[in-house]
Amino acid sequence: MSIEPSITKTVTIDCPYERVFAFLADPANWPRWAVVNVRSIEPTDDPDWWRMSTPLGPARLRLRANAEFGILDHDYVDETASWRVPARVIPNGDGAEFMITFHRPPAFTDSFFKEQTDLVDTELAALKKVLETAGE
């Protein structure tokens, strides 16, 4: 048994937990914040799966949301790989924390994995901006 390298990214959002969770639990919102990795997204005939256009080509997304526990785990599948991405929304006073963990797929080199996860910082900044300015 081995342990794959992983990284967890976190962002604090000054927006009620319920609103953060609801926004993230709707894949139709993902192009608004996942600006690096999701160009467009649409539902499929299977209600569990969404079809995405990404910089690397077509992919599919299945969200495993559970509001009671703040779970937003999702499965990502493209032509070259598939993996599960654990994610959580946690209440923090009047706001929320969003955490997302990436495990390095075996096909990724350490440097490519770091490049890709560094891009998530841009997405988390976009998520924060979208949710914190939504009421303005």
Side-chain angles (χ1 to χ4, degrees):
M1 186 163 89
S2 67
I3 296 175
E4 291 293 332
S6 66
I7 188 164
T8 299
K9 301 281 187 162
T10 304
V11 64
T12 301
I13 303 170
D14 187 9
C15 180
Y17 163 84
E18 295 81 9
R19 200 162 92 205
V20 173
F21 184 88
F23 181 84
L24 288 167
D26 182 355
N29 291 324
W30 285 38
R32 294 179 57 198
W33 69 272
V35 295
V36 174
N37 290 303
V38 181
R39 291 183 176 158
S40 66
I41 192 164
E42 62 186 13
T44 67
D45 292 337
D46 180 338
D48 292 334
W49 286 95
W50 290 70
R51 183 176 13 266
M52 297 188 308
S53 172
T54 76
L56 302 175
R60 294 184 305 135
L61 175 79
R62 175 174 49 192
L63 195 59
R64 299 174 180 272
N66 180 309
E68 180 181 0
F69 299 109
I71 297 171
L72 287 166
D73 293 0
H74 49 284
D75 299 317
Y76 174 89
V77 178
D78 69 19
E79 293 179 7
T80 62
S82 68
W83 55 90
R84 178 164 293 162
V85 180
R88 302 289 183 275
V89 176
I90 299 169
N92 179 356
D94 294 332
E97 303 285 335
F98 176 57
M99 300 182 300
I100 187 166
T101 298
F102 299 93
H103 297 274
R104 191 194 77 199
F108 285 14
T109 64
D110 286 339
S111 62
F112 183 72
F113 180 63
K114 181 174 180 349
E115 286 174 23
Q116 295 304 302
T117 56
D118 283 351
L119 293 172
V120 174
D121 295 334
T122 300
E123 295 184 331
L124 295 181
L127 175 65
K128 180 177 178 73
K129 183 177 181 181
V130 165
L131 286 170
E132 289 183 354
T133 61
E136 295 179 4

